[in-house]
Amino acid sequence: MADTTHAPSAPAGTLFKRWNPGAWGIIALILALVAVFAPQTLGETITFTLKALGGTAPFIAFAVLAVAYLKASGAESLLARAFEGNPARMVVMAALLGGISPFCSCEVIPFIAALLAVGAPLGAVMAFWLASPLMDPAMFAITSGTLGFDFALAKTVAAVSLGMFGGFGVMLMANTAIFANPLREAPATSSCCSSSKPFSGAPVWQFWNHSDRRATFADTARSNALFLTKWLTLAYLIEALMLRYVPADMIAGFLGGSGFMPILLGALVGAPAYLNGYAAVPLIDALLAQGMSNGAAMSFVIAGGVSCIPAAIAVWALVKPRVFAAYLGFALTGALAAGLVWQAIA
């Protein structure tokens, strides 16, 4: 029988969870610090954040309703069809669907684990993995509203192109030591998402006739609205502080200009600095206003999106380190290419 008279020492991970304040806690902490150290700017900071959030509200609403509809109708079940048939066609379809699917990074884990378990080719899986964290309907709406339709469209094209680059790259090197026996012995199959499991079978587009699907729609809309609101509020708050306190000439000197170096730095900085795709949009908007080059902005969002912790964990949980290294290599190469192309045409 366990001794319950003394509380055992909590492991480090448990202690972190106890004091981790979450996005709302960080927002409150930042506002408290501003109130203490720069009280004269508190009202201006809050006003900027609320105005920016209000300006994005229509795009948030569209994103929330679009994703909720896809979930409730069961449209996600169509994704499995991308992994059937000719291998080259599978790569193209996986990249296309990865670039528009509403999956979050943690939902990808059980989905991909199931596909790998039934023998789906790694090239198609890699294509989906690379494209999926970069763009989805909600991301497109938020990016269009803040950075413009052209940037959102260019990022979508870059996401699909990166998926095909990685997928065909794996196909060409399928017989090498890098991709031989790629799976871990016990792939993780749990999901950190709280949303309902996707419906299987054919989609039901008129979902409102089914009570369980209506419940899924309401639950998904509510959870996504809260998710987007909290992260965009934090991002706009940080943007307000960046515009006030970070010297524009420093950003322009570090990430400005038209050469290759700002694009490389954008990719290298984007990998560790990325919060998530939604929070990154206002931050990129602030950096562009302070002199960040267009190419560096694109390389930042591509490299950061693929290598951010949720997306990276989805890959790390299922494959061996050498395959994970190839995933990061494809991501960095694709980010640099996307940055160079966008720098040339923007």
Side-chain angles (χ1 to χ4, degrees):
M1 180 175 179
D3 181 6
T4 58
T5 57
H6 297 86
S9 299
T14 303
L15 292 174
F16 175 78
K17 290 179 180 179
R18 287 180 180 176
W19 63 261
N20 180 16
W24 291 121
I26 296 173
I27 291 169
L29 178 61
I30 291 175
L31 291 175
L33 292 173
V34 172
V36 172
F37 295 104
Q40 69 279 5
T41 68
L42 180 61
E44 178 183 337
T45 300
I46 294 175
T47 300
F48 177 94
T49 303
L50 293 178
K51 283 185 176 180
L53 194 62
T56 317
F59 301 95
I60 296 175
F62 172 80
V64 166
L65 295 175
V67 173
Y69 178 78
L70 290 172
K71 295 271 190 179
S73 64
E76 290 173 325
S77 63
L78 295 175
L79 292 174
R81 299 179 186 176
F83 298 87
E84 300 173 352
N86 180 274
R89 187 196 69 85
M90 278 191 273
V91 168
V92 175
M93 290 301 298
L96 287 169
L97 290 177
I100 62 174
S101 69
F103 274 142
C104 71
S105 296
C106 50
E107 285 178 318
V108 167
I109 298 176
F111 180 78
I112 292 297
L115 289 171
L116 290 172
V118 298
L122 185 61
V125 171
M126 182 67 76
F128 186 84
W129 252 333
L130 288 166
S132 182
L134 294 176
M135 188 56 68
D136 57 47
M139 182 78 69
F140 190 92
I142 298 299
T143 304
S144 296
T146 303
L147 299 177
F149 177 82
D150 289 346
F151 190 95
L153 181 61
K155 186 185 176 187
T156 304
V157 172
V160 175
S161 300
L162 175 59
M164 288 193 285
F165 168 63
F168 285 117
V170 171
M171 283 183 61
L172 291 174
M173 297 184 289
N175 296 324
T176 65
I178 297 176
F179 298 108
N181 190 22
L183 300 184
R184 292 180 182 270
E185 292 184 4
T189 56
S190 62
S191 172
C192 62
C193 298
S194 58
S195 57
S196 303
K197 290 181 63 178
F199 292 101
S200 59
V204 178
W205 302 115
Q206 297 181 355
F207 71 88
W208 48 87
N209 296 320
H210 304 266
S211 60
D212 56 340
R213 294 178 182 271
R214 290 197 303 269
T216 296
F217 179 89
D219 179 66
T220 303
R222 180 173 57 254
S223 62
N224 277 279
L226 290 173
F227 174 84
L228 290 174
T229 299
K230 72 179 180 182
W231 281 108
L232 287 172
T233 300
L234 175 59
Y236 285 130
L237 180 59
I238 295 175
E239 179 184 7
L241 297 177
M242 286 177 61
L243 291 173
R244 172 172 285 276
Y245 295 110
V246 178
D249 55 351
M250 183 183 77
I251 299 297
F254 188 62
L255 295 171
S258 57
F260 175 74
M261 188 55 64
I263 295 173
L264 175 61
L265 291 174
L268 295 178
V269 171
Y274 213 76
L275 295 175
N276 63 51
Y278 305 102
V281 172
L283 300 185
I284 288 294
D285 188 40
L287 290 170
L288 286 170
Q290 292 176 289
M292 185 183 202
S293 73
N294 291 321
M298 184 60 71
S299 67
F300 182 100
V301 296
I302 298 298
V306 176
S307 62
C308 68
I309 291 176
I313 286 177
V315 181
W316 179 263
L318 298 176
V319 297
K320 294 179 178 178
R322 50 188 161 81
V323 180
F324 179 75
Y327 167 84
L328 294 181
F330 286 130
L332 180 59
T333 304
L336 295 177
L340 288 170
V341 172
W342 183 241
Q343 182 82 341
I345 66 177

